[in-house]
Amino acid sequence: MTNTPDIIWTPAASTEDGARNARELFTRIFGGEAEGVWRAPGRVNIIGEHVDYNGGPCLPIALPHAAYVAVRPRPDRRVRLVSPQTVDAVDELDLDTVGPVGSAGAVKGWAAYLIGVAWALEQAGYGPLAGFDIALWSCVPLGAGLSSSAALECSTAVALDDLAGLGLAGSVDAPNKEGRGILVAASRRAENEIAGANTGGLDQSASMHCTRGHALVLDSRDMSVRQTPFDIAASGCELLVIDTRAPHQLVDGQYGQRRADCEAAATLLGVDLLVDVEDYEAAMATLAGEGAESGEAEEAERARLQARTRHVLSEIARTKAFIEILESAPLLSEEKLQVLGGLMNDSHDSLRDDYEVTVPELDVAVDVARARGAYGARMTGGGFGGSVIALVKIGQGEEIAQAVTAAFADHGFAQPHVFVATPADGAGRVE
Ligand code: ADP
Ligand code: MG
């Protein structure tokens, strides 16, 4: 046994602190005052993983962890960007030369997520926009599966919307749902085409549409959303988030391969998206190639597509069941909590065995949380590192965090970071 280190808690900065940090950075680097500060949260997806690009349902909540941007428009088309990590080399770009990945105007690094939103808004007809100076401060952990990238895009989107007077976002208290859908699309295009990460729309929808105290029911088939109350504290529960800090490896390539597998399976099944499969057993038989002659390589390929499809279709069913139970009564009985936990457990096992996107750190954190009495635990986000969520009794989170910290030390893993998640506000203006 190694000596167990203390738990590292990483709670969110308060809105006031986050806004002040962005504002102070702005003034220090650019001089004068920013015109305003906007924030957009990271998220955890409670269930419905790797189904957004298959047209299925997801159930995210916004985190209190958010990106804050202090912004001032410019009289020209220049964009200057700074974050606490880049104060020595402020990025300078021009809205007239920005272009997609692979083009002459390709943007390197984190600036792509921000300026990409301006580019996408202009592509959608909301231009020309003024240039701007922007200072970013964020407490969403980077690359932890908690959507730090969408927080960057969505904070920039609501800022540009406000400064250009487009009126797409509305306010946090009176959101313009349709307008926010347009900002989601622009943020997603920024991520896909300018940053070059081919992700589905879950992250941006969560950051833009989530509301305090609620989970978001997102139908990825048509990107429609609705709010559902998420007050697990009333039922004696809390949601522990464990950022495993496992190094991301081959993330983009693996993610792309999963998407390609799903597309290949959908083609074999004659559907547009896997969500459209109506007969599960028949689909499995088709993918298994029953009755068809095939070589070893082809059989392995079919087995893989079958496993990927099994994950997607079973995850869609689990997510629907989870939402139904969540909405069945304001207070969740012990029995219902156990069913919800079981669905989370099955989700993780499916992501581990059929979708093959977990890593040892994720599996160990999940195993320890379950062994210590969590109702359920699963990885959240794209996988290959990132975070685990555990549904636990109030107060039990600390004991589980300690046990996971100890287990990670024993395994020689990096020390995990932990916090308890409560559903926070979506993107909007702070001051
Ligand atoms: P996730 O969204 O799960 O955190 P991604 O790989 O999608 O992981 O996004 C992480 C990327 O977002 C980082 O590599 C960086 O380019 C950018 N990013 C996120 N937060 C910040 C920040 N505070 N400062 C600069 N860049 C950031
Ligand atoms: Mg991301």
Side-chain angles (χ1 to χ4, degrees):
M1 278 296 281
T2 327
N3 275 344
T4 302
D6 289 341
I7 302 169
I8 301 179
W9 294 101
T10 50
S14 69
T15 302
E16 293 71 30
D17 286 350
R20 192 180 53 242
N21 290 339
R23 211 175 247 294
E24 283 178 2
L25 179 63
F26 184 98
T27 299
R28 181 152 61 90
I29 300 302
F30 301 125
E33 291 287 323
E35 191 154 316
V37 181
W38 292 260
R39 86 178 259 296
R43 59 100 189 94
V44 284
N45 191 24
I46 309 291
I47 195 161
E49 214 65 77
H50 281 282
V51 300
D52 60 343
Y53 52 86
N54 289 299
C58 313
L59 190 70
I61 61 168
L63 293 174
H65 299 69
Y68 295 81
V69 291
V71 191
R72 184 174 60 200
R74 295 173 57 91
D76 55 19
R77 295 267 292 163
R78 305 288 294 165
V79 176
R80 293 191 295 171
L81 312 96
V82 69
S83 85
Q85 290 81 32
T86 59
V87 284
D88 297 328
V90 175
D91 271 32
E92 277 210 58
L93 295 156
D94 198 299
L95 284 175
D96 289 321
T97 58
V98 174
V101 164
S103 76
V107 183
K108 285 202 197 72
W110 66 284
Y113 296 97
L114 286 74
I115 199 163
V117 176
W119 173 86
L121 281 171
E122 292 197 338
Q123 292 288 311
Y126 295 96
L129 298 172
F132 52 95
D133 292 334
I134 183 164
L136 162 74
W137 187 91
S138 172
C139 61
V140 186
L142 261 78
L146 303 176
S147 272
S148 70
S149 60
L152 262 49
E153 292 145 14
C154 294
S155 55
T156 306
V158 287
L160 296 181
D161 169 51
D162 232 352
L163 290 170
L166 304 177
L168 294 171
S171 68
V172 169
D173 296 324
N176 170 352
K177 198 166 162 183
E178 208 174 305
R180 282 179 181 246
I182 292 168
L183 296 177
V184 167
S187 298
R188 183 176 172 186
R189 273 195 86 178
E191 176 134 354
N192 292 164
E193 297 179 44
I194 305 297
N198 192 20
T199 52
L202 161 64
D203 301 350
Q204 294 81 11
S205 294
S207 188
M208 198 61 79
H209 288 297
C210 279
T211 60
R212 181 181 294 253
H214 294 84
L216 187 78
V217 179
L218 167 67
D219 179 348
S220 304
R221 190 71 173 97
D222 59 5
M223 300 308 283
S224 63
V225 293
R226 67 181 171 82
Q227 311 288 333
T228 194
F230 191 77
D231 181 11
I232 54 172
S235 304
C237 285
E238 61 190 20
L239 195 70
L240 179 71
V241 180
I242 304 160
D243 168 8
T244 65
R245 300 178 71 235
H248 271 230
Q249 280 169 351
L250 303 169
V251 181
D252 291 345
Q254 290 284 347
Y255 188 88
Q257 283 172 26
R258 294 304 177 279
R259 287 193 70 144
D261 281 352
C262 290
E263 281 163 26
T267 303
L268 281 172
L269 295 170
V271 291
D272 181 19
L273 293 167
L274 287 180
V275 72
D276 296 331
V277 169
E278 277 169 13
D279 185 337
Y280 176 84
E281 297 302 335
M284 286 297 127
T286 304
L287 291 172
E290 273 170 19
E293 293 277 322
S294 59
E296 236 172 76
E298 196 186 326
E299 256 173 46
E301 155 110 1
R302 282 180 174 276
R304 197 183 71 243
L305 295 188
Q306 199 187 25
R308 305 297 189 239
T309 305
R310 193 161 52 227
H311 165 71
V312 172
L313 298 184
S314 64
E315 185 75 355
I316 288 171
R318 280 186 292 273
T319 306
K320 287 180 178 166
F322 195 102
I323 293 166
E324 202 176 308
I325 294 170
L326 195 62
E327 295 184 333
S328 63
L331 290 184
L332 297 162
S333 64
E334 177 68 20
E335 196 188 340
K336 283 184 178 172
L337 288 167
Q338 282 177 11
V339 177
L340 293 181
L343 290 167
M344 291 170 72
N345 287 339
D346 291 348
S347 168
H348 183 85
D349 295 352
S350 173
L351 288 156
R352 182 191 60 213
D353 301 335
D354 279 341
Y355 220 64
E356 299 181 279
V357 294
T358 70
V359 293
E361 285 87 340
L362 291 169
D363 294 331
V364 167
V366 160
D367 289 345
V368 171
R370 289 179 191 171
R372 294 287 175 142
Y375 286 109
R378 60 178 291 272
M379 57 155 276
T380 185
F384 305 107
S387 298
V388 159
I389 53 171
L391 181 66
V392 305
K393 290 195 172 73
I394 288 177
Q396 198 182 31
E398 176 157 4
E399 186 201 322
I400 290 176
Q402 188 66 67
V404 172
T405 301
F408 272 37
D410 285 346
H411 280 85
F413 298 159
Q415 206 182 334
H417 289 179
V418 296
F419 60 90
V420 172
T422 49
D425 284 325
R429 187 168 193 153
V430 179
E431 55 184 49

